[in-house]
Amino acid sequence: MTLVAASPEEKYFETRDNFIRQFSTPSSPEANSDEKALSKLEKELQLIIGPVDVAHFPKRGKINLETLYQDAGFGQVDGLRFGSEHELLFVTTTGLLNAYLQQHKKLPTELGKLAKAEELYSLVFDWDAAVTHFAEVPVRTTNDKSFAYAFLGLWAQNIGPRPPKDLFVFFANGDRVFVVSTEVRSNIDQIAECKDVWDGFKKKSDAAFAAYQASELKEQKASDDMVRYEEEGFRAYCRCFEQRAKMEPFFKQLTKQAQTLVDNLQKQLPR
């Protein structure tokens, strides 16, 4: 029988899952053991992912997992995080990412679809906030072995007629995957036509809320309508913004910013 040594990625998952099982028992160790475990896993990830040197980001990354206890913040995508609060870079390998996707069936596995999946960016960067996709930003790669996708979006914990302020870039090259979240440098103002779309739905939502109050909070349909109109209004607002974005003055500068990020990422050689 030929014995095949476990890959570094397989060893990482074994170590990680052992810690998770250990911390899920009633006799779990003290809280600082979580920090020690994450530190051990971070060292393994640094060896797996290899050197990362992207312009304007730190050269040493921190483990992307927040905790190994099955609590708030548990279950982020395995990889390394570089940057600050307003500009973040996440790096992983295709092996680590594919293993994660096998455990999260709601996420698509095809790169083109995965790059557009809003939920992915919350699972990568911030479990406590949602990402909304507003408009694709055109970017190009220098060879057919790389894949890049960029979009204008918004981090938020609730919905409303707020113009998008964030740029997201998904880049795959060889066996490594890079994801960037950064603030848009160009000024993005409210688009009046899109705000009007939202206001129309908001009036319906407010009327439903008034009916719900008048029923002394007994009319469930009115309550459901209030929520539905706001959700439909936000989706319509986003669609309007997507249709108008390319005609707005900010879009040229936004495209340049996105392409610069892709160019910087493309300088990273496959591991």
Side-chain angles (χ1 to χ4, degrees):
M1 180 181 295
T2 302
L3 298 179
V4 179
S7 70
E9 290 168 340
E10 290 170 333
K11 291 180 180 178
Y12 165 81
F13 284 121
E14 181 181 1
T15 303
R16 185 203 64 180
D17 293 345
N18 283 338
F19 279 131
I20 292 173
R21 285 191 292 270
Q22 177 184 345
F23 292 174
S24 67
T25 62
S27 58
S28 294
E30 63 276 10
N32 64 2
S33 292
D34 187 28
E35 184 177 342
K36 293 177 181 177
L38 290 172
S39 178
K40 176 178 174 58
L41 291 172
E42 179 177 289
K43 292 175 182 177
E44 293 189 22
L45 285 171
Q46 288 167 344
L47 291 174
I48 292 169
I49 292 171
V52 175
D53 186 5
V54 179
H56 309 300
F57 287 98
K59 292 181 175 60
R60 187 175 180 84
K62 301 292 185 180
I63 188 170
N64 195 51
L65 304 184
E66 292 189 22
T67 181
L68 297 171
Y69 288 98
Q70 298 188 42
D71 201 348
F74 176 81
Q76 298 293 96
V77 185
D78 300 276
L80 294 175
R81 174 186 295 231
F82 305 74
S84 63
E85 181 180 355
H86 301 296
E87 187 172 37
L88 295 170
L89 165 67
F90 168 80
V91 186
T92 189
T93 66
T94 54
L96 291 171
L97 181 58
N98 287 336
Y100 185 88
L101 294 176
Q102 289 175 10
Q103 300 298 319
H104 296 76
K105 300 296 186 181
K106 291 184 179 181
L107 290 172
T109 56
E110 194 272 315
L111 281 183
K113 294 180 180 178
L114 181 64
K116 299 177 183 179
E118 295 168 328
E119 185 184 357
L120 170 70
Y121 297 86
S122 295
L123 292 169
V124 165
F125 291 119
D126 188 355
W127 62 272
D128 197 31
V131 171
T132 299
H133 182 293
F134 274 74
E136 179 178 348
V137 180
V139 289
R140 63 187 183 278
T141 60
T142 57
N143 60 71
D144 56 5
K145 296 180 181 180
S146 301
F147 169 82
Y149 181 81
F151 69 92
L152 174 64
L154 179 68
W155 281 108
Q157 293 179 316
N158 48 45
I159 61 177
R162 293 183 297 279
K165 301 290 185 182
D166 302 289
L167 173 64
F168 299 88
V169 173
F170 183 104
F171 179 77
N173 185 25
D175 61 352
R176 294 203 292 186
V177 176
F178 303 78
V179 185
V180 175
S181 169
T182 187
E183 292 183 343
V184 173
R185 296 197 189 113
S186 48
N187 184 42
I188 300 180
D189 295 321
Q190 184 69 267
I191 298 177
E193 292 85 349
C194 301
K195 180 62 163 54
D196 290 343
V197 170
W198 164 265
D199 289 343
F201 280 92
K202 189 65 169 63
K203 288 180 181 179
K204 296 179 181 180
S205 178
D206 290 344
F209 179 63
Y212 183 55
Q213 286 186 312
S215 72
E216 297 182 346
L217 310 185
K218 296 178 181 178
E219 182 55 58
Q220 185 60 42
K221 182 179 182 304
S223 176
D224 294 341
D225 286 345
M226 174 188 69
V227 175
R228 178 171 59 84
Y229 284 132
E230 280 205 351
E231 291 177 345
E232 290 178 354
F234 186 60
R235 288 195 295 270
Y237 173 80
C238 293
R239 287 195 300 271
C240 173
F241 222 100
E242 181 174 17
Q243 293 166 359
R244 291 295 307 269
K246 294 181 180 180
M247 298 180 285
E248 295 295 316
F250 67 80
F251 201 77
K252 183 177 181 180
Q253 179 62 31
L254 176 65
T255 302
K256 183 178 179 181
Q257 181 183 354
Q259 187 60 55
T260 298
L261 277 170
V262 171
D263 291 343
N264 289 337
L265 293 171
Q266 198 151 242
K267 294 176 183 177
Q268 301 301 294
L269 297 175
R271 182 175 62 91

